[in-house]
């Protein structure tokens, strides 16, 4: 319909806010569009009726007057059709007031000509012709009641201009029959005015409703377009699911994050037993409580590699607050996990040897001492220092020194068990934690000594440095302890003391901590100790 295409008010003034009254401009635009819609039908019908009227009046009145009346009505009708055509082409759709005044001028001009016909061509001596003229005038007025009711004052003016002059002529004749005819015309006028006002209210409410609906549709479409833009171009993955946890839609970013295809996701049941149960719990929470959460590694069905991600689930309700499904926002944690792993590596591992550093080793030892399941285990902490490392570093260069440390680290790692740990403390100092599934007794100490002797022999020997074979020996000090009754700080001090005692005794020594070693170190003069450790 033309008025739907011509909602210039809606197009010009924008959609109506749900909390604001309907714009008068929108209503006016829709009413003007309705007036111009299919205008040719009433105009052509009016011309046809005018032609028959002129034929009836031709013999009883001046042909010149009848022809002048008919031609004037034809010109006005033609102008109305021309303006209606321009309006349909949308040449000035924003000037609704102007178009209404143009339409009103044409309609009221036609009404004035029909009213003039009732006066000019009234023939009291020819009752048949007078009755025909009255019937035609009433018919034209009735037709205007339906077509002009969208604008109340226009409909009232059109009807009044046609029927009031005719009623006045009848009443002024002052005969019984003419007075009766005048009263009938006035009654008909009142009926048409009442009908026009009633039609106006109905049409006004109908147009207001339709304009409101079109405005809400525009609002909904705008919201839908905005959401689809966010949905399609979001840097986060987005998916929709129904109240049964079945995926109904997802964006391209989600497919990129998880590496699947749209067909594999559509219809996927997230609440099935075969699905990820942590994800399923997040979906259930969103459907039952309104929100859910999942963070972890998600595996697609049949996939060997998972994707670290975080998903926030939210329930979606309909108008009656009934849960109809939900949506999830999915964030890819691959880069974050990689960054966290890098930061963790930098914080807890030695960059040269790739062994754990002092911090991680101490945390591991503290954790061991706090565990309650190690009653039948014996622990050994061994400190290791490379003999003559400074001389090797100065002779062959720092690159050779770094290469030596890397080779030592690899030999240490080769000697580790599942629960053991080796770490680089600083420079050429290393530390190792070794656990034996044996109660802390003499037998455990013999096992520890034999193991460390084997390690000393593997660490000692020749290393390939700068195309040469260089002999290197370690000095090692260690302490044994009950893994269930230990103080990590004390254990580290004991192993450190034992290692310095081994250095003091010469190169390539393995020394177990004994309490008297501390007394020896306290009694030893500082210059003597410095001299004894010069070759470290």
């Amino acid at each position: 319909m033309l008025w739907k295409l011509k909602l210039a008010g809606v197009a010009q003034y924008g959609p109506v806010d749900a909390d604001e009254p309907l714009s008068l401009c929108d209503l006016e635009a829709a009413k003007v569009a309705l007036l111009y819609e299919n205008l040719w039908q009433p105009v052509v019908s009016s011309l046809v009726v005018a032609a028959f009227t002129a034929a009836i009046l031709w013999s009883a009145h001046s042909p010149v007057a009848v022809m002048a009346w008919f031609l004037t009505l034809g010109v006005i009708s033609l102008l109305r059709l021309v303006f209606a055509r321009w309006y349909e082409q949308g040449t000035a759709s924003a000037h609704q007031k102007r178009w209404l005044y143009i339409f009103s001028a044409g309609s009221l001009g036609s009404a004035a000509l029909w009213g003039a016909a009732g006066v000019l061509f009234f023939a009291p001596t020819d009752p048949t012709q007078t009755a025909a003229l009255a019937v035609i005038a009433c018919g034209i007025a009735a037709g205007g009641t339906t077509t002009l009711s969208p604008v109340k004052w226009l409909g009232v003016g059109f009807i009044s201009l046609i029927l009031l002059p005719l009623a006045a002529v009848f009443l002024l004749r002052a005969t019984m029959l003419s007075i009766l005819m005048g009263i009938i015309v006035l009654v008909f006028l009142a009926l048409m005015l009442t009908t026009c006002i009633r039609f106006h209210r109905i049409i006004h409410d109908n147009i207001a409703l339709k304009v409101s609906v079109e405005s809400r549709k525009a609002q909904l479409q705008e919201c839908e377009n905005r959401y689809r833009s966010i949905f399609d171009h979001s840097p986060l993955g987005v998916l929709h699911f129904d109240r049964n946890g079945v995926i109904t839609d997802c964006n391209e970013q989600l497919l990129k994050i998880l590496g699947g295809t749209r067909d594999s996701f559509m219809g996927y049941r997230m609440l099935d037993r075969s699905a990820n149960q942590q994800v399923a719990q997040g979906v259930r929470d969103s459907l039952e409580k309104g929100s859910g959460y999942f963070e972890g590694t998600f595996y697609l069905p049949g996939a060997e590699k998972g994707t670290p991600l975080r998903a926030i689930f939210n329930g979606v309700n309909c108008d009656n607050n009934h849960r109809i499904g939900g949506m999830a926002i999915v964030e890819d944690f691959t880069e974050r996990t990689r960054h966290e792993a890098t930061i963790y590596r930098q914080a807890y591992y030695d960059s040269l040897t790739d062994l754990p550093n002092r911090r991680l080793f101490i945390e591991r030892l503290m954790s061991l001492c706090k565990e309650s399941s190690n009653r039948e285990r014996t622990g050994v902490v061994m400190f290791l220092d490379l003999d003559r490392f400074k001389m090797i570093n100065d002779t062959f260069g720092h690159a050779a020194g770094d290469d030596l440390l890397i080779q030592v680290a690899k030999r240490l790692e080769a000697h580790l068990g599942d629960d053991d740990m080796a770490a680089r403390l600083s420079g050429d100092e290393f530390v190792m934690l070794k656990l034996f599934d044996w109660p802390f007794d003499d037998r455990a100490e013999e096992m520890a000594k034999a193991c460390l002797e084997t390690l000393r022999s593997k660490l000692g020997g020749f290393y390939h440095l700068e195309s040469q074979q260089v002999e290197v020996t370690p000095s090692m000090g260690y302490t044994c302890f009950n893994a269930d009754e230990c103080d990590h700080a004390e254990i580290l001090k004991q192993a450190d003391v034992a290692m310095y005692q081994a250095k003091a005794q010469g190169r390539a020594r393995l020394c177990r901590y004994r309490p008297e070693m501390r007394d020896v170190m306290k009694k030893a003069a500082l210059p003597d100790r410095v001299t004894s450790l010069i070759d470290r």
Side-chain angles (χ1 to χ4, degrees), residues 314-333:
N314 290 292
V316 176
N317 298 343
C318 60
D319 291 340
N320 59 4
N321 209 30
H322 178 68
R323 194 89 68 200
I324 59 174
M327 64 177 296
I329 307 296
V330 180
E331 181 179 1
D332 187 0
F333 273 9

Side-chain angles (χ1 to χ4, degrees), residues 230-241:
I230 297 173
F231 182 83
D232 293 334
H233 302 97
S234 172
L236 304 177
V238 184
L239 64 85
H240 296 169
F241 55 89

Side-chain angles (χ1 to χ4, degrees), residues 203-339:
I203 293 174
H204 175 86
D205 294 341
N206 188 37
I207 292 176
L209 178 61
K210 289 184 177 180
V211 171
S212 177
V213 169
E214 291 296 323
S215 177
R216 302 302 166 84
K217 283 183 179 179
Q219 274 188 312
L220 290 175
Q221 187 61 48
E222 181 181 355
C223 292
E224 174 67 15
N225 292 340
R226 288 180 179 178
Y227 175 75
R228 292 306 304 186
S229 178
I230 297 173
F231 182 83
D232 293 334
H233 302 97
S234 172
L236 304 177
V238 184
L239 64 85
H240 296 169
F241 55 89
D242 61 18
R243 60 184 179 182
N244 296 317
V246 179
I247 296 178
T248 58
D249 195 10
C250 67
N251 64 354
E252 291 297 326
Q253 186 62 26
L254 182 71
L255 302 180
K256 292 180 181 179
I257 292 174
L258 298 180
T261 62
R262 181 171 296 275
D263 292 338
S264 65
F265 279 99
M266 293 302 98
Y268 178 72
R269 299 180 178 274
M270 294 188 289
L271 296 180
D272 276 2
R273 293 183 178 180
S274 59
N276 186 303
Q277 291 305 302
Q278 290 180 305
V279 173
Q281 186 59 49
V283 174
R284 290 192 193 95
D285 290 342
S286 67
L287 294 175
E288 296 173 3
K289 304 176 183 179
S291 63
Y293 184 81
F294 166 78
E295 183 172 342
T297 302
F298 178 77
Y299 292 84
L300 288 173
E304 297 182 357
K305 184 179 179 181
T307 303
L309 55 84
R310 175 177 66 179
I312 301 174
F313 300 91
N314 290 292
V316 176
N317 298 343
C318 60
D319 291 340
N320 59 4
N321 209 30
H322 178 68
R323 194 89 68 200
I324 59 174
M327 64 177 296
I329 307 296
V330 180
E331 181 179 1
D332 187 0
F333 273 9
T334 302
E335 287 299 322
R336 196 188 80 166
T337 303
R338 187 180 295 115
H339 292 327

Side-chain angles (χ1 to χ4, degrees), residues 15-273:
V16 180
D17 192 283
D19 298 327
E20 295 181 358
L22 194 64
S23 171
L24 293 177
C25 297
D26 297 342
L27 285 175
E28 180 179 293
K31 289 178 179 179
V32 172
L34 186 59
L35 289 174
Y36 278 100
E37 181 185 2
N38 295 326
L39 181 61
W40 65 271
Q41 295 177 354
V43 170
V44 172
S45 300
S46 177
L47 282 177
V48 172
V49 173
F52 281 107
T53 304
I56 295 173
L57 300 175
W58 190 267
S59 60
H61 299 275
S62 170
V64 176
V66 173
M67 182 58 66
W69 172 82
F70 178 75
L71 290 177
T72 305
L73 184 62
V75 170
I76 293 177
S77 300
L78 180 61
L79 290 175
R80 294 178 68 189
L81 292 176
V82 170
F83 281 111
R85 181 61 178 170
W86 286 352
Y87 180 83
E88 289 179 6
Q89 294 175 349
T91 55
S93 57
H95 305 286
Q96 299 303 312
K97 284 282 187 183
R98 183 184 301 172
W99 285 106
L100 177 59
Y101 293 151
I102 292 173
F103 185 91
S104 302
S107 299
L108 296 179
S110 298
L113 285 175
W114 282 105
V119 176
L120 297 175
F121 304 129
F122 186 83
T125 58
D126 190 349
T128 302
Q129 188 180 91
T130 302
L133 185 61
V135 170
I136 292 173
C138 290
I140 294 297
T145 301
T146 57
T147 58
L148 303 177
S149 293
V151 179
K152 180 170 62 175
W153 62 266
L154 180 57
V156 171
F158 183 85
I159 298 169
S160 301
L161 285 175
I162 295 175
L163 296 183
L164 278 178
L166 183 61
V169 172
F170 276 120
L171 293 175
L172 290 175
R173 296 301 298 174
T175 64
M176 184 62 67
L177 181 59
S178 63
I179 293 174
L180 182 60
M181 288 296 295
I183 293 173
I184 292 175
V185 172
L186 289 177
V187 171
F188 185 78
L189 171 62
L191 178 61
M192 287 298 97
L193 292 177
T194 304
T195 304
C196 179
I197 294 173
R198 183 179 301 171
F199 279 0
H200 169 75
R201 291 174 181 173
I202 295 174
I203 293 174
H204 175 86
D205 294 341
N206 188 37
I207 292 176
L209 178 61
K210 289 184 177 180
V211 171
S212 177
V213 169
E214 291 296 323
S215 177
R216 302 302 166 84
K217 283 183 179 179
Q219 274 188 312
L220 290 175
Q221 187 61 48
E222 181 181 355
C223 292
E224 174 67 15
N225 292 340
R226 288 180 179 178
Y227 175 75
R228 292 306 304 186
S229 178
I230 297 173
F231 182 83
D232 293 334
H233 302 97
S234 172
L236 304 177
V238 184
L239 64 85
H240 296 169
F241 55 89
D242 61 18
R243 60 184 179 182
N244 296 317
V246 179
I247 296 178
T248 58
D249 195 10
C250 67
N251 64 354
E252 291 297 326
Q253 186 62 26
L254 182 71
L255 302 180
K256 292 180 181 179
I257 292 174
L258 298 180
T261 62
R262 181 171 296 275
D263 292 338
S264 65
F265 279 99
M266 293 302 98
Y268 178 72
R269 299 180 178 274
M270 294 188 289
L271 296 180
D272 276 2
R273 293 183 178 180

Side-chain angles (χ1 to χ4, degrees), residues 388-419:
R388 299 185 304 169
F389 177 76
K390 185 178 184 304
M391 184 188 70
I392 295 172
N393 206 36
D394 293 340
T395 303
F396 295 96
H398 292 287
D402 292 344
D403 188 20
L404 174 60
L405 295 176
I406 294 173
Q407 293 185 49
V408 170
K410 290 181 178 179
R411 295 189 186 187
L412 273 174
E413 287 183 311
H415 198 70
L416 296 178
D418 293 338
D419 295 332

